[in-house]
Every structure is written in structure tokens, then in C-alpha cells.
Amino acid sequence: MARTTPHDRPLAEAQPLYWRIATQLVGELRDGTIPPGERLPGERQLAEHFEVSRETVRQALEVLRRSGLVATDRRGSHATLPGPPVETPASLTFPVGARTTSPDAVDRATVAWETPPPDHAEALGLAPHRPTLVHRYESASPDGHGRRTAVTSFSAVALAEVAELARYRDRADGTGTAQLRRAYDWMRKAGLTLHHRDAITRPPGAPSVRVTRRVHDQYARPLEITDLVVDAQQDALVYEFTLPAAG
């Protein structure tokens, strides 16, 4: 007899609360919001996120363990779905231009709920000192060359209309790994048409190049702004991205 998982049943009010929480977690696992192998937030954070008790969260995690979707070791629970999150070949990888060309580079990405840089707040129309979701990315080869860093701040519009981004708010403590590679796919799935404008400059006296990207939707509402700094101490600078397919 086939094993039933929360994903196989429709969400219904008659179902136990822990089963409904398990179903929502499965959705985050399946759509890549929680990538394979990534550590899940702790029971306390999940309880606050879903506004339920820790016992309910504990029961939901047990359902996912029995289904083989989550494993737990001494460091906590992590997603076990095989392979990378499903992406279409035409997806626009986030953050644009941040991926290094070095195959042995070490990448690090985190998110925090904090006050963005002042120029980001202004570009996004945020009031001074108002916090938002801030994503930080860093990549460098083992010898320190080819270093790339990116800081992205998301607007209130992006967080209000893109559910996958909004889910990060309660676990955005700046320490856990956060891969938002499908951020632009999530935006398009929410019905947003993306328009981006890139400004490339060379900071004075620094062997690097800065790419400032602003993304807005079809209504000219800002969605995000990114400052990408690339180490230019190499023969060629590769800044590569793929435009999403139309439709």
C-alpha cells in the first residue's frame, strides 16, 4: 500500500492542525523555498511562524519524517528531497551576475530582517529605519581570487505579493543558509512582469567593478535593488545572465 504524505491530500479545515502545518511545510519543500539539504528553522521559530504551539510543530515534523521528506540529526532537521529545486532552463538566476566562473568557488548566502542601506531604502520607497528582507551573497575561490559579493534589499510590494519571499521573514536571522535562486521565478509566478536596469561603475581606487541593479514590475513599482561588487583583478570580467522566456 502506497504511503500517503501531506502533499497528497487536499488542505481541509477538518484535518488536524499538525497535518495542515505539515502540508504547508511540504509546499515550501516542493517549490524550493526550502532547498534540499537545507536546515529547517528550529521548533520555536516554526511555531512563531505558523502561530501554533511547539507540540503542533513537533507532530508536523514527525509526519514529514515518516514520509521521508525531513531527516533529523543532532544538529536539527533538514530537507531530504533529492536533487536541486526544479527550475526551467529559461529561469533568471538570482542574484543576476553573482555566480562566479570558478568551479571550485565557495558560495555563502544568508537573509536577515533588518534596516537596508540608506540608498536601498530610498530606491524602494521605504521609510527611514524601516526593516525589510535583506539578502547577502558572497563567493570566492579558495585562493581568494574572483571574489563577488552582493547585497539585495526587497521592497514591501515584493514581500506582499510573493509568498515564497514572505516566508523568509520569520527565519531571517542572518545566520542560516538561504538560497533564493528562484526568486525571479517566484515573482513571475505571482503575476509580476520584471524589468531591470543595471548600472556598471568602477569604484575609485579599487580593483573591482560595481553593478547596481534595480528591478520593478509592470506598474513601475520597485521590487528589489542589488549592489554586486566583482573583483576585477583578472583578464576578463564575465557578467552573464539569461532572460526568461516570454509568456
Side-chain angles (χ1 to χ4, degrees):
M1 182 175 179
R3 177 180 293 173
T4 302
T5 71
H7 191 71
D8 299 321
R9 292 187 184 178
L11 192 60
E13 289 298 326
Q15 292 174 340
L17 180 57
Y18 71 83
W19 190 276
R20 282 185 271 145
I21 299 304
T23 301
Q24 293 180 56
L25 277 169
V26 167
E28 297 191 17
L29 294 171
R30 297 287 173 112
D31 67 18
T33 301
I34 302 176
E38 181 172 324
R39 297 282 159 185
L40 273 63
E43 289 181 1
R44 180 181 60 80
Q45 291 174 283
L46 288 172
E48 292 175 354
H49 175 59
F50 291 112
E51 298 182 342
V52 296
S53 69
R54 292 183 64 172
E55 178 59 29
T56 298
V57 167
R58 204 169 291 126
Q59 291 176 311
L61 290 175
E62 180 58 30
V63 170
L64 298 186
R65 289 189 197 100
R66 292 199 302 266
S67 303
L69 300 175
V70 164
T72 300
D73 56 28
R74 62 183 180 181
R75 293 182 298 166
S77 300
H78 59 272
T80 59
L81 285 179
V86 177
E87 296 183 59
T88 61
S91 64
L92 182 60
T93 301
F94 171 90
V96 169
R99 186 171 298 178
T100 180
T101 57
S102 174
D104 57 352
V106 177
D107 292 349
R108 167 76 171 163
T110 60
V111 290
W113 184 257
E114 63 183 30
T115 302
D119 54 334
H120 283 205
E122 182 180 359
L124 298 175
L126 296 174
H129 309 299
R130 177 180 174 179
T132 190
L133 193 69
V134 178
H135 179 274
R136 287 182 172 81
Y137 171 91
E138 182 173 355
S139 175
S141 58
D143 60 6
H145 290 89
R147 187 167 181 264
R148 297 182 176 208
T149 61
V151 177
T152 300
S153 302
F154 292 95
S155 72
V157 171
L159 296 177
E161 301 205 8
V162 183
E164 293 86 351
L165 286 176
R167 289 172 184 160
Y168 273 92
R169 174 173 178 171
D170 293 333
R171 62 174 183 264
D173 58 5
T175 60
T177 301
Q179 298 293 344
L180 303 188
R181 291 182 59 201
R182 296 188 62 205
Y184 296 126
D185 287 336
W186 297 336
M187 290 180 183
R188 295 178 68 221
K189 188 176 72 173
L192 303 176
T193 300
L194 307 185
H195 303 269
H196 68 89
R197 179 179 183 274
D198 298 341
I200 303 176
T201 58
R202 181 183 287 272
S208 60
V209 170
R210 178 184 296 275
V211 180
T212 300
R213 183 183 72 256
R214 301 186 183 202
V215 177
H216 62 273
D217 67 6
Q218 64 268 41
Y219 307 109
R221 298 178 301 178
L223 298 175
E224 61 104 333
I225 179 171
T226 295
D227 278 317
L228 167 69
V229 178
V230 183
D231 180 4
Q233 296 186 69
Q234 46 188 315
D235 294 334
L237 169 65
V238 178
Y239 177 58
E240 180 179 354
F241 60 89
T242 301
L243 290 175

